[in-house]
PDB file of all heavy atoms in Angstrom:
ATOM      1  N   ILE B  70    -186.741  31.064  40.294  1.00 91.00           N
ATOM      2  CA  ILE B  70    -188.225  31.519  40.025  1.00 91.00           C
ATOM      3  C   ILE B  70    -188.275  31.860  38.450  1.00 91.00           C
ATOM      4  O   ILE B  70    -189.161  31.316  37.716  1.00 91.00           O
ATOM      5  CB  ILE B  70    -188.672  32.676  40.784  1.00 91.00           C
ATOM      6  CG1 ILE B  70    -188.493  32.319  42.236  1.00 91.00           C
ATOM      7  CG2 ILE B  70    -190.020  33.095  40.418  1.00 91.00           C
ATOM      8  CD1 ILE B  70    -189.749  31.626  42.829  1.00 91.00           C
ATOM      9  N   PRO B  71    -187.249  32.685  37.953  1.00 91.00           N
ATOM     10  CA  PRO B  71    -187.337  32.933  36.435  1.00 91.00           C
ATOM     11  C   PRO B  71    -187.271  31.585  35.715  1.00 91.00           C
ATOM     12  O   PRO B  71    -187.855  31.483  34.732  1.00 91.00           O
ATOM     13  CB  PRO B  71    -186.016  33.917  36.167  1.00 91.00           C
ATOM     14  CG  PRO B  71    -185.775  34.461  37.510  1.00 91.00           C
ATOM     15  CD  PRO B  71    -186.245  33.566  38.556  1.00 91.00           C
ATOM     16  N   CYS B  72    -186.371  30.685  36.111  1.00 91.00           N
ATOM     17  CA  CYS B  72    -186.220  29.351  35.454  1.00 91.00           C
ATOM     18  C   CYS B  72    -187.610  28.728  35.335  1.00 91.00           C
ATOM     19  O   CYS B  72    -187.979  28.182  34.437  1.00 91.00           O
ATOM     20  CB  CYS B  72    -185.229  28.525  36.117  1.00 91.00           C
ATOM     21  SG  CYS B  72    -183.551  29.160  36.051  1.00 91.00           S
ATOM     22  N   PHE B  73    -188.259  28.631  36.600  1.00 93.00           N
ATOM     23  CA  PHE B  73    -189.574  28.064  36.709  1.00 93.00           C
ATOM     24  C   PHE B  73    -190.511  28.669  35.625  1.00 93.00           C
ATOM     25  O   PHE B  73    -191.314  27.933  34.905  1.00 93.00           O
ATOM     26  CB  PHE B  73    -190.119  28.095  38.042  1.00 93.00           C
ATOM     27  CG  PHE B  73    -189.412  27.370  39.099  1.00 93.00           C
ATOM     28  CD1 PHE B  73    -189.590  27.560  40.450  1.00 93.00           C
ATOM     29  CD2 PHE B  73    -188.479  26.466  38.745  1.00 93.00           C
ATOM     30  CE1 PHE B  73    -188.838  26.931  41.546  1.00 93.00           C
ATOM     31  CE2 PHE B  73    -187.758  25.760  39.755  1.00 93.00           C
ATOM     32  CZ  PHE B  73    -188.060  26.034  41.082  1.00 93.00           C
ATOM     33  N   ILE B  74    -190.599  29.990  35.734  1.00 93.00           N
ATOM     34  CA  ILE B  74    -191.431  30.726  34.856  1.00 93.00           C
ATOM     35  C   ILE B  74    -191.282  30.395  33.370  1.00 93.00           C
ATOM     36  O   ILE B  74    -192.193  30.269  32.622  1.00 93.00           O
ATOM     37  CB  ILE B  74    -191.452  32.314  35.080  1.00 93.00           C
ATOM     38  CG1 ILE B  74    -192.062  32.602  36.570  1.00 93.00           C
ATOM     39  CG2 ILE B  74    -192.209  33.046  34.005  1.00 93.00           C
ATOM     40  CD1 ILE B  74    -193.541  32.530  36.641  1.00 93.00           C
ATOM     41  N   VAL B  75    -190.056  30.427  32.919  1.00 93.00           N
ATOM     42  CA  VAL B  75    -189.750  30.132  31.552  1.00 93.00           C
ATOM     43  C   VAL B  75    -190.240  28.684  31.156  1.00 93.00           C
ATOM     44  O   VAL B  75    -190.855  28.535  30.144  1.00 93.00           O
ATOM     45  CB  VAL B  75    -188.171  30.244  31.191  1.00 93.00           C
ATOM     46  CG1 VAL B  75    -187.945  29.812  29.855  1.00 93.00           C
ATOM     47  CG2 VAL B  75    -187.682  31.705  31.393  1.00 93.00           C
ATOM     48  N   VAL B  76    -189.974  27.654  32.049  1.00 93.00           N
ATOM     49  CA  VAL B  76    -190.481  26.378  31.814  1.00 93.00           C
ATOM     50  C   VAL B  76    -191.988  26.371  31.717  1.00 93.00           C
ATOM     51  O   VAL B  76    -192.512  25.669  30.725  1.00 93.00           O
ATOM     52  CB  VAL B  76    -189.946  25.467  32.919  1.00 93.00           C
ATOM     53  CG1 VAL B  76    -190.773  24.056  32.714  1.00 93.00           C
ATOM     54  CG2 VAL B  76    -188.377  25.249  32.922  1.00 93.00           C
ATOM     55  N   ILE B  77    -192.655  26.967  32.635  1.00 94.00           N
ATOM     56  CA  ILE B  77    -194.097  26.990  32.683  1.00 94.00           C
ATOM     57  C   ILE B  77    -194.640  27.662  31.358  1.00 94.00           C
ATOM     58  O   ILE B  77    -195.583  27.237  30.700  1.00 94.00           O
ATOM     59  CB  ILE B  77    -194.755  27.725  33.952  1.00 94.00           C
ATOM     60  CG1 ILE B  77    -194.278  26.855  35.210  1.00 94.00           C
ATOM     61  CG2 ILE B  77    -196.168  27.843  33.948  1.00 94.00           C
ATOM     62  CD1 ILE B  77    -194.544  27.539  36.406  1.00 94.00           C
ATOM     63  N   ALA B  78    -194.046  28.864  31.139  1.00 94.00           N
ATOM     64  CA  ALA B  78    -194.500  29.682  29.881  1.00 94.00           C
ATOM     65  C   ALA B  78    -194.346  28.813  28.681  1.00 94.00           C
ATOM     66  O   ALA B  78    -195.244  29.041  27.709  1.00 94.00           O
ATOM     67  CB  ALA B  78    -193.694  30.954  29.811  1.00 94.00           C
ATOM     68  N   THR B  79    -193.219  28.082  28.548  1.00 95.00           N
ATOM     69  CA  THR B  79    -193.081  27.216  27.418  1.00 95.00           C
ATOM     70  C   THR B  79    -194.224  26.358  27.191  1.00 95.00           C
ATOM     71  O   THR B  79    -194.788  26.230  26.059  1.00 95.00           O
ATOM     72  CB  THR B  79    -191.643  26.547  27.458  1.00 95.00           C
ATOM     73  OG1 THR B  79    -190.667  27.386  27.759  1.00 95.00           O
ATOM     74  CG2 THR B  79    -191.356  25.789  26.260  1.00 95.00           C
ATOM     75  N   PHE B  80    -194.583  25.596  28.247  1.00 95.00           N
ATOM     76  CA  PHE B  80    -195.609  24.614  28.147  1.00 95.00           C
ATOM     77  C   PHE B  80    -197.022  25.279  27.849  1.00 95.00           C
ATOM     78  O   PHE B  80    -197.756  24.827  27.093  1.00 95.00           O
ATOM     79  CB  PHE B  80    -195.701  23.780  29.395  1.00 95.00           C
ATOM     80  CG  PHE B  80    -194.668  22.757  29.456  1.00 95.00           C
ATOM     81  CD1 PHE B  80    -193.674  22.772  30.428  1.00 95.00           C
ATOM     82  CD2 PHE B  80    -194.473  21.723  28.422  1.00 95.00           C
ATOM     83  CE1 PHE B  80    -192.671  21.780  30.516  1.00 95.00           C
ATOM     84  CE2 PHE B  80    -193.524  20.730  28.414  1.00 95.00           C
ATOM     85  CZ  PHE B  80    -192.529  20.806  29.510  1.00 95.00           C
ATOM     86  N   VAL B  81    -197.239  26.462  28.511  1.00 94.00           N
ATOM     87  CA  VAL B  81    -198.463  27.079  28.353  1.00 94.00           C
ATOM     88  C   VAL B  81    -198.542  27.621  26.898  1.00 94.00           C
ATOM     89  O   VAL B  81    -199.591  27.296  26.225  1.00 94.00           O
ATOM     90  CB  VAL B  81    -198.519  28.374  29.211  1.00 94.00           C
ATOM     91  CG1 VAL B  81    -199.619  29.261  28.799  1.00 94.00           C
ATOM     92  CG2 VAL B  81    -198.687  27.996  30.703  1.00 94.00           C
ATOM     93  N   THR B  82    -197.474  28.098  26.270  1.00 93.00           N
ATOM     94  CA  THR B  82    -197.577  28.507  24.870  1.00 93.00           C
ATOM     95  C   THR B  82    -197.783  27.344  23.993  1.00 93.00           C
ATOM     96  O   THR B  82    -198.510  27.375  22.887  1.00 93.00           O
ATOM     97  CB  THR B  82    -196.219  29.213  24.370  1.00 93.00           C
ATOM     98  OG1 THR B  82    -195.875  30.176  25.499  1.00 93.00           O
ATOM     99  CG2 THR B  82    -196.356  29.946  23.118  1.00 93.00           C
ATOM    100  N   MET B  83    -197.186  26.229  24.263  1.00 94.00           N
ATOM    101  CA  MET B  83    -197.422  24.959  23.441  1.00 94.00           C
ATOM    102  C   MET B  83    -198.924  24.498  23.526  1.00 94.00           C
ATOM    103  O   MET B  83    -199.527  24.258  22.470  1.00 94.00           O
ATOM    104  CB  MET B  83    -196.562  23.732  24.071  1.00 94.00           C
ATOM    105  CG  MET B  83    -195.164  23.729  23.607  1.00 94.00           C
ATOM    106  SD  MET B  83    -194.339  22.244  24.341  1.00 94.00           S
ATOM    107  CE  MET B  83    -192.769  22.575  23.943  1.00 94.00           C
ATOM    108  N   VAL B  84    -199.473  24.582  24.843  1.00 93.00           N
ATOM    109  CA  VAL B  84    -200.868  24.103  24.910  1.00 93.00           C
ATOM    110  C   VAL B  84    -201.617  25.168  24.104  1.00 93.00           C
ATOM    111  O   VAL B  84    -202.713  24.709  23.452  1.00 93.00           O
ATOM    112  CB  VAL B  84    -201.247  24.138  26.446  1.00 93.00           C
ATOM    113  CG1 VAL B  84    -202.852  24.182  26.605  1.00 93.00           C
ATOM    114  CG2 VAL B  84    -200.619  23.060  27.223  1.00 93.00           C
ATOM    115  N   ASP B  85    -201.398  26.428  24.223  1.00 92.00           N
ATOM    116  CA  ASP B  85    -202.002  27.480  23.603  1.00 92.00           C
ATOM    117  C   ASP B  85    -202.170  27.234  22.105  1.00 92.00           C
ATOM    118  O   ASP B  85    -203.207  27.227  21.388  1.00 92.00           O
ATOM    119  CB  ASP B  85    -201.393  28.813  23.822  1.00 92.00           C
ATOM    120  CG  ASP B  85    -202.107  30.039  23.277  1.00 92.00           C
ATOM    121  OD1 ASP B  85    -203.029  30.498  23.918  1.00 92.00           O
ATOM    122  OD2 ASP B  85    -201.671  30.448  22.177  1.00 92.00           O
TER     123      ASP B  85
END
Side-chain angles (χ1 to χ4, degrees):
Chain B
I70 303 274
C72 295
F73 294 165
I74 289 286
V75 173
V76 172
I77 295 168
T79 308
F80 284 118
V81 170
T82 315
M83 280 182 191
V84 166
D85 183 84

